[in-house]
Amino acid sequence: GLGDVYKRQGEAVRFQGDGPRLSPCLPTATGCVFCAIFGLLRVTRPDGPAIRPSLQVNGVGMQVRETALPGVLILEPARHGDARGFFSESWNRHRMEEAGLDFDFVQDNHSLSTDVGTLRGLHYQSPPHAQAKLVRCGRGALFDVAVDVRKGSPTYGQWLGLELSFDNGLQLLIPEGFIHGFVTREPMTEIIYKCSDYYAPDCDGAVAWDSCGIDWGLSGDPVLSAKDAAAPALADFDSPFIWEQP
């Protein structure tokens, strides 16, 4: 099979299924040469959905894009800039509901990673306190990853990665049933994410970062917590999540 890549102005979404990865596009002075020609480069996996072009919500310029993992979405809120900088609505419940995204986020998390190559994950919170997450980068840059671990899912074990940075302003919406992790690309990187349930220590878990075939883009060993270094492999993981057919 063929991996899915969404390319836009030098940004890239990488999708790993049962085939080779496609490399991120190379930006030019005017953006990616393919994007400049085609506007949006759409690559379709033979046995999976296409990544759809951007959609505006209520005319305000917030874009919502589907990915090859159903339910995992890319959000791009509009940024309104002037000589002072910019203003952006990073979350608006009403506009999300208009886009069919009805999430009751109850907790915001914010972490700082001082070193490049700091890897946190792959984490999950099991039912009855499973969490959907809306992830963005508050400072610096990171590579954010979601892996489908819903038993019975056609995309079980497949992953998607997205470069999130302060500069690009992108957000990744990860529903329940996916494990989540990220690695930092710049020093002093901050990640900010919303959660649909409160932290529940008894439901907290992790899967080994190197057991899912993810290309993290590392140049050396990652900086890990003791918990993440000792996490079980995906092959040994008895997932508490069940896929429900739409």
Side-chain angles (χ1 to χ4, degrees):
L2 183 65
D4 262 322
V5 179
Y6 174 88
K7 301 177 179 178
R8 177 178 179 274
Q9 297 297 319
E11 300 159 5
V13 175
R14 281 183 280 171
F15 173 75
Q16 179 66 43
D18 55 1
R21 290 178 299 277
L22 298 180
S23 300
C25 57
L26 297 177
T28 66
T30 58
C32 168
V33 62
F34 293 103
C35 298
I37 296 172
F38 299 109
L40 287 173
L41 178 61
R42 174 173 166 172
V43 182
T44 306
R45 192 164 178 265
D47 57 348
I51 294 177
R52 298 183 182 179
S54 305
L55 300 173
Q56 288 196 341
V57 178
N58 200 25
V60 298
M62 188 199 70
Q63 298 176 340
V64 180
R65 301 194 288 271
E66 294 182 348
T67 72
L69 292 183
V72 178
L73 302 174
I74 302 167
L75 276 60
E76 185 177 3
R79 284 184 171 181
H80 308 282
D82 58 25
R84 302 166 297 172
F86 72 84
F87 172 84
S88 178
E89 286 186 359
S90 59
W91 170 255
N92 183 304
R93 179 189 294 273
H94 178 63
R95 292 193 178 115
M96 291 301 97
E97 289 175 347
E98 288 182 338
L101 307 176
D102 186 13
F103 291 90
D104 183 20
F105 290 120
V106 298
Q107 178 175 315
D108 282 10
N109 295 336
H110 185 175
S111 75
L112 167 70
S113 298
T114 57
D115 297 327
V116 174
T118 298
L119 197 155
R120 300 179 187 244
L122 297 158
H123 298 157
Y124 67 91
Q125 194 160 282
S126 61
H129 297 291
Q131 293 175 324
K133 297 178 179 179
L134 179 62
V135 186
R136 63 187 177 97
C137 181
R139 176 167 63 164
L142 58 95
F143 183 61
D144 205 55
V145 173
V147 184
D148 186 357
V149 292
R150 299 167 298 173
K151 288 181 178 178
S153 168
T155 55
Y156 181 89
Q158 295 179 6
W159 63 271
L160 180 142
L162 174 65
E163 301 282 352
L164 302 180
S165 69
F166 173 80
D167 290 334
N168 69 26
L170 297 177
Q171 302 181 12
L172 192 63
L173 180 64
I174 305 171
E176 297 176 11
F178 291 77
I179 51 178
H180 168 248
F182 68 92
V183 64
T184 57
R185 299 290 196 226
E186 295 182 7
M188 305 301 291
T189 286
E190 298 182 32
I191 185 172
I192 302 168
Y193 56 99
K194 308 182 83 65
C195 299
S196 62
D197 205 336
Y198 299 103
Y199 175 58
D202 293 343
C203 298
D204 186 43
V207 172
W209 66 277
D210 57 353
S211 65
C212 302
I214 299 166
D215 178 5
W216 293 98
L218 293 165
S219 58
D221 292 335
V223 180
L224 298 169
S225 68
K227 169 189 169 182
D228 289 347
L234 179 65
D236 301 321
F237 174 55
D238 184 14
S239 177
F241 302 102
I242 306 296
W243 177 67
E244 297 181 3
Q245 188 168 0

